[in-house]
């Protein structure tokens, strides 16, 4: 799976500015496939400069076109690309600590009625005003200068951009989700696992999403679920797959993709071990029993 934050952080050749707990980068997508899955351990703001791309979530799709912008919480997502036109984008990656600092020092001082969300969405559309558009484009001069400006200047500019977004009444949901993130810096393992288990992330990557070392993540996971991450993930994915087999017409490849299995063969083998028959045999037996 494409690790977007790590790729742009470590790969030379991109116009980018690296801060202590943020990253700003201009890029054309390096992935050549039409459909692919990516993930990031950081939250991000995406501003499309040209072209379009679709973010595909379990409950809703988000097509983002030129001069449109979205906020994406950290985690995995599926993308669909459109190769008939060039795609170029600005991305602003933010760690939890950066958001917490911006909320406490800037946003909360200007907006007093912020609401903590119980179940925040993964993606939010951002209303792009003329002033925000100008702010987005102003980062180009910094990105393309041979000598990058001081971190203080860039951070102030970044924080100005976030405050501009939040002060727009049309972006009330963005203000609330940033506030929610600032209040949830403990990175709840339960919330992240329930949201992300459908993606084929490695245990090490789940640990990074939760802000833990692998050993700490496994130890805390054991206390919560009384099993290992690998066993828990397999059970969650198998039960989701069983529900999809019974209630949809998806083929094995689609179910495998939607449930986070590594391959068709791994899915079929695991399903048979758990339920005593292959997915096709299991579905046929259920159809016959209900006839």
């Amino acid at each position: 799976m494409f690790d977007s934050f790590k790729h742009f952080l470590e790969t030379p050749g991109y116009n980018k500015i690296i801060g202590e707990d943020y990253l700003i980068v201009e890029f054309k997508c390096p992935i050549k496939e039409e459909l692919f899955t990516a993930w990031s351990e950081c939250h991000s703001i995406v501003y499309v400069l040209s072209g379009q791309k679709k973010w595909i979530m379990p409950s809703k799709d988000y097509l983002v076109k030129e001069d449109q912008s979205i906020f994406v919480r950290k985690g995995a997502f599926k993308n669909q690309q459109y190769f008939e036109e060039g795609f170029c984008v600005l991305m602003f990656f933010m760690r939890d600590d950066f958001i917490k600092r911006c909320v406490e020092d800037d946003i909360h001082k200007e907006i007093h009625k912020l609401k903590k969300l119980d179940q925040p969405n993964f993606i939010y559309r951002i209303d792009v005003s003329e002033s925000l558009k100008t702010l987005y484009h102003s980062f180009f001069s910094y990105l393309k200068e041979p000598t990058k400006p001081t971190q203080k200047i860039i951070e102030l500019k970044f924080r100005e951009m976030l405050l501009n977004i939040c002060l727009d009444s049309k972006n009330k949901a963005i203000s609330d989700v940033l506030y929610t993130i600032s209040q949830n810096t403990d990175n709840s393992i339960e919330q992240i696992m329930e949201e992300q288990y459908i993606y084929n992330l490695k245990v090490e990557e789940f640990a990074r999403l939760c802000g833990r070392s692998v050993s700490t993540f496994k130890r805390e996971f054991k206390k919560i679920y009384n099993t290992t991450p690998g066993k828990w993930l397999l059970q969650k994915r198998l039960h989701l797959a069983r529900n999809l087999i019974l209630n949809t017409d998806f083929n094995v490849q689609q179910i495998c993709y939607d449930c986070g299995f590594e391959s068709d063969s791994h899915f079929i083998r695991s399903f048979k071990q758990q339920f005593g028959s292959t997915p096709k045999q299991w579905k046929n037996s259920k159809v016959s029993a209900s006839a």
Side-chain angles (χ1 to χ4, degrees), residues 81-93:
Q81 301 197 88
Y82 299 86
F83 296 110
E84 62 271 15
E85 51 187 317
F87 179 76
C88 186
V89 69
L90 274 176
M91 287 198 73
F92 304 84
F93 290 95

Side-chain angles (χ1 to χ4, degrees), residues 237-246 255 259 261 267 271:
R237 290 167 178 167
L238 282 172
H239 282 84
L240 174 60
R242 185 176 63 175
N243 183 58
L244 292 176
I245 290 169
L246 192 61
I255 291 173
C259 296
F261 287 95
F267 166 53
F271 192 94

Side-chain angles (χ1 to χ4, degrees), residues 109-168:
K109 291 181 179 179
E110 298 293 331
I111 305 172
H112 302 296
K113 293 183 179 180
L114 293 171
K115 180 174 66 175
K116 187 174 181 181
L117 306 173
D118 292 332
Q119 293 182 314
N121 295 333
F122 191 72
I123 294 176
Y124 291 83
R125 288 194 179 274
I126 297 173
D127 182 75
V128 181
S129 64
E130 281 302 314
S131 61
L132 178 58
K133 183 178 177 179
T134 300
L135 273 170
Y136 282 149
H137 283 269
S138 69
F139 282 93
F140 279 113
S141 59
Y142 297 122
L143 284 167
K144 296 185 177 180
E145 285 180 3
T147 302
K148 295 294 186 288
T150 65
Q151 290 291 316
K152 185 65 174 177
I153 290 175
I154 295 300
E155 180 169 326
L156 286 171
K157 194 75 174 176
F158 202 146
R159 289 166 65 163
E160 179 188 4
M161 182 191 75
L162 285 181
L163 186 57
N164 182 288
I165 291 170
C166 292
L167 287 175
D168 186 338

